[in-house]
Amino acid sequence: MNVTTVKWNIKDYHQIIATGILADRNVELINGEIVEMAPEGEYHAYSSDEAGEYLIYLLGQKAKVRQAKPITIPETNSEPEPDIAIVKRLGKDYREHHPYPENIFWVIEYSDSSLSKDLEVKTKVYASAGIPEYWIINLRNMELIVFRVPTDAGYQSREIFKNGEIRSLAFPDVSILVERLLGM
């Protein structure tokens, strides 16, 4: 017997959300599939929250730091909710739509139990959308994995940092301490 899954588009997903059916579920839309998100452990919640505050302080008015909010990727019928998305300041435009790939400077995911999904699935979703940078905080190994140079096949560059500083492509004048992102 063949099993066929139903693929949802973003409009359908928004209609499902509006009905309240998913109100008590922690889900996101990835490649047309409604996927449950892993619950956050204490260290995950602490680290991502502190990093968000740190980035707000560093970036000031240069960018908006959205924490655990959806972004919309129409090309892949995806609406993931990265732990942190650094996006253009579009003000009230975000009342009408979540940030699109062209509005996004980079995204950050904190990963423990979701590490394989973040490394395999989300890497391809973000790269094919042309998001310039994707950072994964690997809580298992306490390291920052930085993906750059997006293509349809994935990111062409991957670097790992355990300490020191990093600079985003969008804001090379802003020095970001890796330890602060790791929650150390």
Side-chain angles (χ1 to χ4, degrees), residues 3-40:
V3 175
T4 304
T5 59
V6 175
K7 294 286 187 174
W8 303 97
N9 64 39
I10 292 169
K11 182 180 175 188
D12 294 336
Y13 181 61
H14 288 179
Q15 288 175 337
I16 293 168
I17 290 170
T19 67
I21 293 172
L22 299 174
D24 296 331
R25 308 288 294 269
N26 196 13
V27 298
E28 58 188 349
L29 184 68
I30 304 291
N31 294 321
E33 296 179 355
I34 298 173
V35 179
E36 291 236 38
M37 294 169 44
E40 290 184 4

Side-chain angles (χ1 to χ4, degrees), residues 132-149:
E133 295 184 79
Y134 173 37
W135 298 6
I136 296 176
I137 306 296
N138 177 347
L139 294 172
R140 294 179 188 172
N141 296 337
M142 292 307 291
E143 63 189 11
L144 165 63
I145 308 169
V146 175
F147 294 93
R148 292 178 170 154
V149 190

